[in-house]
């Protein structure tokens, strides 16, 4: 008799699951026993351009079913509030409830801050940050309602997708870095708000070779000997499966970096130094005397110094 799988009896939504990371995550959740709603808007351009198509989501859902799992495809734009509601309702109506939400959908519109247009800013913030909010809003309402009916906690897991662009900076991606930083704030706020209902919320910073990062990792060649690429999305999906499982009940409000067989747990910001005014308030001269020498003796950009410790620095 085979042992039950970690996610047996649970249902999940994975957004942006028609390709790349989302696809790997949907396949992993299904492999672990979850029934999966595979969401993807199916636009061919990584900047969100082109006609929407159900084909990417349907292909992944068919792949899951062919392997013996349960999956339903959903063509929808998560940055649209109504379509996000329909996505959550589809999971509930198809599988009786929603247990796991993996927010992965995103686009890129890269440009330096002095060249970026308002539309390039708004589009990326809308898909990444508002998209995460929209699905989380409706999933949270579902779990809160179920918890009230049950008179106690229910099962709920949220896995959000941040980025090293937030952690270490990315000069040509001010919109993307800002959105990914906002997702961390959304995650910690959600974790605090939903803990009493039995729901956890965590975020990951994945590094993987996908359609969105093909130029970033162009200089990192895939192995020719048939071994798994260090940048393969399959290095990321096991962590998502773990965070979605009952085993991760004690993990909440956390940010984890994952790539190439490595997971790093990121601490929340800590105070590095503290200065007190000699009198009621600081003078300019006093601040200059205290703060200027402090930075004069330190690396010019400690963000990148910290990134090097984690092995996150981009060449």
């Amino acid at each position: 008799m085979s042992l039950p799988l970690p996610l047996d009896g649970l249902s999940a939504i994975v957004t942006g699951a028609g390709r790349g990371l989302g696809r790997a995550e949907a396949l992993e959740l299904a492999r672990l026993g979850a029934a999966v709603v595979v969401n993807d808007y199916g636009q061919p351009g990584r900047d969100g351009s082109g006609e929407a198509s159900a084909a990417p989501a349907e292909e992944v859902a068919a792949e899951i079913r062919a392997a013996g799992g349960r999956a339903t495809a959903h063509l929808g734009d998560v940055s649209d509030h109504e379509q996000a509601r329909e996505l959550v309702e589809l999971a509930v109506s198809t599988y009786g409830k929603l247990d796991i939400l993996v927010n992965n959908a995103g686009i890129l519109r890269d440009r330096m801050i002095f060249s970026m247009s308002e539309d390039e800013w708004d589009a990326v913030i809308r898909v990444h940050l508002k998209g995460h909010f929209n699905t989380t809003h409706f999933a949270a309402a579902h779990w809160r309602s179920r918890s009230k009916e049950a008179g106690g906690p229910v099962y709920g897991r949220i896995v959000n997708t941040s980025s090293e662009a937030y952690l270490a900076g990315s000069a040509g991606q001010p919109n993307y870095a800002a959105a990914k930083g906002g997702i961390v704030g959304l995650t910690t706020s959600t974790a605090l708000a939903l803990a009493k209902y039995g729901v956890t919320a965590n975020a990951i910073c994945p590094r993987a070779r996908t359609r969105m990062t093909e130029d970033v990792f162009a200089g990192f060649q895939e192995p020719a000997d048939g071994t798994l690429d260090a940048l393969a999305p399959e290095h990321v999906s096991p962590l998502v499966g773990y965070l979605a499982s009952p085993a991760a009940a004690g993990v909440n409000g956390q940010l984890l970096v994952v790539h190439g067989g490595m997971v790093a747990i990121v601490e929340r910001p800590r105070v590095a130094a503290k200065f007190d005014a000699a009198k009621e308030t600081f003078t300019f001269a006093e601040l200059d005397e205290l703060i200027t020498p402090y930075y004069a003796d330190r690396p010019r950009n400690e963000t990148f110094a910290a990134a090097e410790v984690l092995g996150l620095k981009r060449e």
Side-chain angles (χ1 to χ4, degrees):
M1 183 177 179
S2 60
L3 294 174
L5 295 169
L7 303 183
D8 268 348
L10 302 179
S11 65
I13 289 172
V14 183
T15 71
R19 306 177 178 93
L21 273 173
R23 173 183 174 276
E25 292 163 351
L27 293 174
E28 177 68 5
L29 295 186
R31 188 186 69 80
L32 294 176
V36 183
V37 177
V38 179
N39 160 266
D40 202 285
Y41 202 35
Q43 293 171 305
R46 68 176 188 171
D47 61 351
S49 63
E51 291 296 320
S53 170
E58 289 176 346
E59 288 170 6
V60 175
E63 187 175 353
I64 289 172
R65 291 192 295 266
R70 293 181 295 160
T72 301
H74 176 265
L75 169 66
D77 178 3
V78 293
S79 71
D80 182 286
H81 203 61
E82 180 64 18
Q83 291 184 49
R85 179 187 66 79
E86 293 171 356
L87 171 60
V88 172
E89 289 183 350
L90 175 64
V92 174
S93 63
T94 304
Y95 300 117
K97 58 185 172 58
L98 173 65
D99 302 293
I100 300 159
L101 171 63
V102 179
N103 284 308
N104 172 75
I107 63 171
L108 290 179
R109 301 254 180 115
D110 292 353
R111 195 86 64 185
M112 299 296 284
I113 188 66
F114 42 78
S115 301
M116 181 165 288
S117 69
E118 181 181 12
D119 181 66
E120 288 167 338
W121 173 270
D122 288 347
V124 169
I125 298 296
R126 184 181 68 250
V127 176
H128 286 274
L129 186 52
K130 187 184 177 186
H132 272 59
F133 161 74
N134 284 343
T135 54
T136 299
H137 167 77
F138 291 110
H142 168 69
W143 288 320
R144 181 171 178 262
S145 177
R146 281 177 52 201
S147 178
K148 286 187 173 183
E149 291 177 5
V154 296
Y155 190 97
R157 298 284 187 270
I158 299 171
V159 183
N160 289 332
T161 306
S162 183
S163 171
E164 296 170 65
Y166 153 70
L167 279 176
S170 182
Q173 296 181 304
N175 48 4
Y176 182 73
K180 292 306 189 181
I183 286 167
V184 174
L186 173 65
T187 302
T188 54
S189 175
T190 302
L192 289 172
L194 300 187
K196 65 181 180 181
Y197 302 117
V199 179
T200 67
N202 295 287
I204 63 170
C205 292
R207 184 190 296 184
R209 192 192 308 275
T210 68
R211 183 177 57 139
M212 286 182 63
T213 61
E214 57 190 2
D215 56 339
V216 175
F217 298 124
F220 297 85
Q221 297 301 316
E222 297 184 48
D225 59 1
T227 59
L228 184 63
D229 183 2
L231 294 171
E234 287 75 17
H235 287 296
V236 175
S237 54
L239 177 62
V240 173
Y242 165 74
L243 292 173
S245 76
V251 185
N252 196 25
Q254 300 299 301
L255 178 64
L256 303 96
V257 177
V258 54
H259 62 84
M262 187 279 298
V263 172
I265 299 172
V266 180
E267 286 189 329
R268 295 192 181 190
R270 295 186 296 171
V271 175
K274 180 176 178 292
F275 305 101
D276 295 311
K279 296 183 179 180
E280 185 176 4
T281 188
F282 282 107
T283 64
F284 176 89
E286 187 180 9
L287 289 170
D288 183 32
E289 181 181 341
L290 292 171
I291 297 176
T292 301
Y294 174 81
Y295 280 104
D297 296 332
R298 307 182 79 81
R300 184 164 181 81
N301 191 330
E302 290 192 323
T303 300
F304 288 108
E308 289 178 9
V309 172
L310 286 174
L312 306 180
K313 185 178 179 183
R314 292 178 178 174
E315 299 298 331

